[in-house]
Amino acid sequence: EDKVVQSPLSLVVHEGDTVTLNCSYEVTNFRSLLWYKQEKKAPTFLFMLTSSGIEKKSGRLSSILDKKELFSILNITATQTGDSAVYLCAVGGAQKLVFGQGTRLTINP
Amino acid sequence: SAVISQKPSRDICQRGTSLTIQCQVDSQVTMMFWYRQQPGQSLTLIATANQGSEATYESGFVIDKFPISRPNLTFSTLTVSNMSPEDSSIYLCSVEAGANSYEQYFGPGTRLTVT
């Protein structure tokens, strides 16, 4: 059975800190790994990764995939209170996405 | 990316009743997906809806409980039937960014509370 595990489940840091969120997976017919940010209801797309070792960056966020070790990390540098959210990792297998439990990130001022 | 709208945004319903959620996309898409997110949980795929064919349901979800329509390439509905408090969840539709694209984008969601 396809499985996606995120860690930590919850993280509280101070504004300005750097955080690393982890996602490991076991999926047959791997197609892609996606990161989403969920603040209220709808997850908003952050990154899609399909190749190992190629870092994707968007401002203070970056992510990388290791297809040999079956994991990905999401880094957020110089965190701001607006980064507080649940971060979801999803892995695309055979025509569907499997989601992890999410990491609830809280940034305190 | 596609612009997706959902109606209603939220609703409070009595047990035993049914609610139909609408999902509208601003461009034609082959596949639309319906997810459920129960309180404190992650997203679980209910079914995949292709235009012109019956929806494909995931394990644990059945058509009698969650009938889906897909009348054209820009619209789908999900009905939550004979509701119980356990159906209280956020319901989300999503679409892939394009043909052979693995990116999925989500609608704004419907927050359903069953009393």
Side-chain angles (χ1 to χ4, degrees):
Chain A
E1 184 181 332
D2 295 346
K3 191 163 70 169
V4 178
V5 177
Q6 291 185 244
S7 64
L9 294 181
S10 179
L11 185 59
V12 181
V13 301
H14 290 292
E15 203 167 19
D17 289 350
T18 293
V19 298
T20 298
L21 310 184
N22 303 293
C23 176
S24 63
Y25 63 90
E26 295 175 27
V27 173
T28 54
N29 299 318
F30 174 90
R31 300 189 304 162
S32 60
L33 186 144
L34 298 92
W35 285 97
Y36 290 88
K37 178 182 182 182
Q38 186 177 32
E39 293 177 88
K40 292 184 180 175
K41 289 188 295 185
T44 53
F45 174 81
L46 295 175
F47 296 113
M48 185 180 75
L49 303 143
T50 56
S51 301
S52 272
I54 299 173
E55 184 182 54
K56 293 221 172 173
K57 281 183 72 80
S58 176
R60 296 176 293 103
L61 278 66
S62 64
S63 183
I64 197 161
L65 172 67
D66 186 329
K67 289 168 74 173
K68 182 180 176 188
E69 300 297 330
L70 307 182
F71 79 91
S72 173
I73 60 172
L74 175 68
N75 279 324
I76 309 175
T77 60
T79 52
Q80 303 170 359
T81 54
D83 295 325
S84 294
V86 174
Y87 289 82
L88 295 167
C89 172
V91 178
Q95 285 210 323
K96 72 174 192 178
L97 290 183
V98 178
F99 280 82
Q101 326 93 295
T103 293
R104 181 173 295 278
L105 177 63
T106 303
I107 311 296
N108 289 327
Chain B
S1 62
V3 176
I4 307 168
S5 59
Q6 276 186 243
K7 286 196 292 189
S9 172
R10 59 176 59 223
D11 208 340
I12 301 173
C13 301
Q14 301 229 346
R15 69 175 67 209
T17 62
S18 298
L19 176 72
T20 295
I21 302 167
Q22 299 178 8
C23 180
Q24 178 78 51
V25 189
D26 70 343
S27 58
Q28 294 185 340
V29 294
T30 303
M31 291 197 290
M32 296 176 76
F33 306 88
W34 286 99
Y35 289 84
R36 179 176 76 180
Q37 186 175 31
Q38 294 176 300
Q41 304 295 314
S42 191
L43 278 70
T44 302
L45 181 65
I46 298 171
T48 302
N50 291 330
Q51 193 268 336
S53 62
E54 282 199 11
T56 302
Y57 289 83
E58 296 298 307
S59 176
F61 298 96
V62 295
I63 188 170
D64 289 347
K65 176 67 175 177
F66 297 101
I68 288 171
S69 79
R70 183 78 201 275
N72 58 53
L73 290 173
T74 63
F75 186 78
S76 179
T77 67
L78 169 77
T79 299
V80 186
S81 303
N82 188 24
M83 288 184 284
S84 66
E86 293 70 38
D87 294 318
S88 297
S89 298
I90 296 171
Y91 291 86
L92 295 146
C93 69
S94 75
V95 302
E96 289 188 332
N100 300 317
S101 169
Y102 305 150
E103 294 178 26
Q104 277 192 26
Y105 295 96
F106 285 84
T110 296
R111 186 182 298 274
L112 171 62
T113 302
V114 183
T115 60

